[in-house]
C-alpha cells in the first residue's frame, strides 16, 4: 500500500490560523525583527516568505535590511537596539551573513529571551539538557508533523541523515528527548543504506537530490524529507519520492512538507517570546 502523504502545508496553515485567532484578540501585537545583511537572493526570498507569513498571523513585521558592506560593529549595534526595544519580541538574523561578519558573535549578541530562531548557545544548551525553550524552527516543525499525524516517537529507532547545527543535530536531540533510539549518519558514514534500513523514522537532511532510494527504506517507515534541491527549475527533496512512497508508511513531499512548517514554527516561537 502506498504511503500516507503528510500535508505539511495544510498543517502549517492550521497552526498559523490558530495563532491569528489568538493574536487578533490582543491590543498590542507581537513583533518580529528579521535582520538581513546584503542581497543574497536565496536569503531575500526566505525573508520575503517570513514577511508574508507574519502578515497572515497578524504579527508586526519589523524587518531590518542592511547593506552588504555593513560592519560587524554596526550589526552588533542594531542587535543591541532590538534587544532593548520593547516592541520587538523576536529577533532572527538571516544566515549566511557576509564573510567579514562573525556569525557566532552576532547570534550570541541576541537576548536569549528573543532568540526565536533557537540558535543562541543558551537555547541550544537548554535543548541539550531537555529543557526545551526556543527550539530551532525546522527541527521543531519536523517533530510537530509527527505529532500531528499521531506517530509515536518513544521507543522507535530514528535515523537522521545529516549532522548540521541547524537541522541534523537539533532534530536528533529532540528525538532523543522524546525517547527514540537515534542514529545520526553523515558524509563519512560507511554504509548509509545499512543504517537507514533500520529506521522506523527516517529524517533526510542532506541537500542531495534523491539520495534516499526505496532500497534504503524499511517497509512501512515514516520518511521525512527536509532537503530542498533545485533541479531543472523544480524543487525536489533528498528522497526519491515516487519510489519511496510505494514502500514507506508515511512520507513528506517537497515542496509543501517540512518547508511551510519551518515558517509556522518561527511564528509560534515569536508568539511564545511575546508571552514571556
Ligand atoms: P548542510 O550542508 O549544513 O549539512 C548537510 C549534512 O549532510 C552534513 O552533515 C553532511 O555530513 C551530510 N551529508 C552530505 N553528504 C552525505 C551523504 N552522501 N550521505 C550522508 N550524509 C551526507 O545542510 P543543512 O543546512 O542541514 O540542510 C540540508 C538540506 O535541508 C538542504 O537541502 C537544505 O536546503 C534543506 N533545508 C530545508 C529546510 C526547510 O525548511 N525545509 C531548512 C533547512 C535546510
Amino acid at each position: 500500500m502506498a504511503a500516507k502523504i503528510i500535508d505539511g502545508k495544510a498543517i502549517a496553515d492550521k497552526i498559523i490560523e490558530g495563532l491569528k485567532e489568538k493574536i487578533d484578540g490582543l491590543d498590542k501585537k507581537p513583533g518580529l525583527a528579521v535582520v538581513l545583511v546584503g542581497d543574497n537572493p536565496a536569503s531575500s526570498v526566505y525573508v520575503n516568505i517570513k514577511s508574508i507569513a507574519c502578515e497572515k498571523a497578524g504579527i508586526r513585521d519589523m524587518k531590518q535590511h542592511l547593506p552588504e558592506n555593513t560592519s560587524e560593529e554596526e550589526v552588533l549595534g542594531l542587535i543591541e537596539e532590538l534587544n532593548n526595544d520593547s516592541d520587538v519580541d523576536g529577533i532572527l538574523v538571516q544566515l549566511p551573513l557576509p564573510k567579514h561578519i562573525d556569525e557566532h558573535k552576532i547570534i550570541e549578541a541576541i537576548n536569549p529571551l528573543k532568540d526565536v530562531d533557537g540558535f543562541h548557545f543558551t537555547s541550544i544548551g537548554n535543548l541539550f539538557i531537555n529543557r526545551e525553550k526556543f527550539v530551532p524552527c525546522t527541527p521543531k516543525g519536523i517533530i510537530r508533523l509527527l505529532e500531528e499525524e499521531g506517530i509515536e516517537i518513544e521507543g522507535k529507532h530514528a535515523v537522521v541523515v545529516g549532522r548540521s547545527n541547524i537541522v541534523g543535530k537539533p532534530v536528533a536531540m529532540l528525538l532523543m528527548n522524546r525517547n527514540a533510539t537515534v542514529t545520526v549518519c553523515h558524509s563519512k558514514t560507511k554504509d548509509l543504506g545499512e543504517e537507514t534500513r533500520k529506521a522506523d523514522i527516517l529524517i533526510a537532511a542532506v541537500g542531495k537530490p534523491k539520495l534516499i532510494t526505496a532500497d534504503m527504506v524499511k517497509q512501512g517507515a515514516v520518511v521525512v524529507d527536509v532537503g530542498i534541491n533545485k533541479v531543472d527549475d523544480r524543487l525536489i527533496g533528498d528522497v526519491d519520492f515516487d519510489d519511496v512512497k510505494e514502500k514507506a508508511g508515511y512520507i513528506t513531499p517537497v515542496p509543501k512538507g517540512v518547508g511551510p512548517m519551518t515558517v509556522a514554527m518561527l511564528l509560534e516561537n515569536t508568539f511564545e517570546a511575546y508571552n514571556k
Side-chain angles (χ1 to χ4, degrees), residues 138 161-164 166-167 186-187 192 205-208 226-228 259 262:
T138 302
V161 189
R163 58 174 163 186
S164 71
I166 64 166
V167 188
H186 47 76
S187 54
L192 185 61
V206 180
K208 293 221 155 51
V226 187
I228 302 177
T262 298

Side-chain angles (χ1 to χ4, degrees), residues 112-142:
L113 295 172
K114 298 189 177 189
D115 177 38
V116 289
D117 221 7
F119 292 155
H120 191 284
F121 287 161
T122 302
S123 305
I124 295 168
N126 279 323
L127 171 60
F128 198 89
I129 61 168
N130 199 3
R131 261 185 22 180
E132 297 169 8
K133 299 273 192 279
F134 290 119
V135 172
C137 303
T138 302
K140 184 176 179 178
I142 294 168

Side-chain angles (χ1 to χ4, degrees), residues 66-133:
L66 302 173
E68 179 84 22
N69 61 2
T70 307
S71 69
E72 190 175 274
E73 279 306 302
E74 286 169 314
V75 181
L76 287 170
L78 173 63
I79 300 292
E80 185 63 19
E81 262 176 50
L82 298 171
N83 280 342
N84 294 328
D85 184 342
S86 59
D87 283 344
V88 175
D89 297 290
I91 304 171
L92 177 152
V93 176
Q94 186 66 43
L95 303 178
L97 287 169
K99 291 210 166 29
H100 63 278
I101 300 174
D102 180 346
E103 236 164 65
H104 295 294
K105 214 165 162 182
I106 303 297
I107 301 295
E108 290 324 303
I110 297 172
N111 177 348
L113 295 172
K114 298 189 177 189
D115 177 38
V116 289
D117 221 7
F119 292 155
H120 191 284
F121 287 161
T122 302
S123 305
I124 295 168
N126 279 323
L127 171 60
F128 198 89
I129 61 168
N130 199 3
R131 261 185 22 180
E132 297 169 8
K133 299 273 192 279

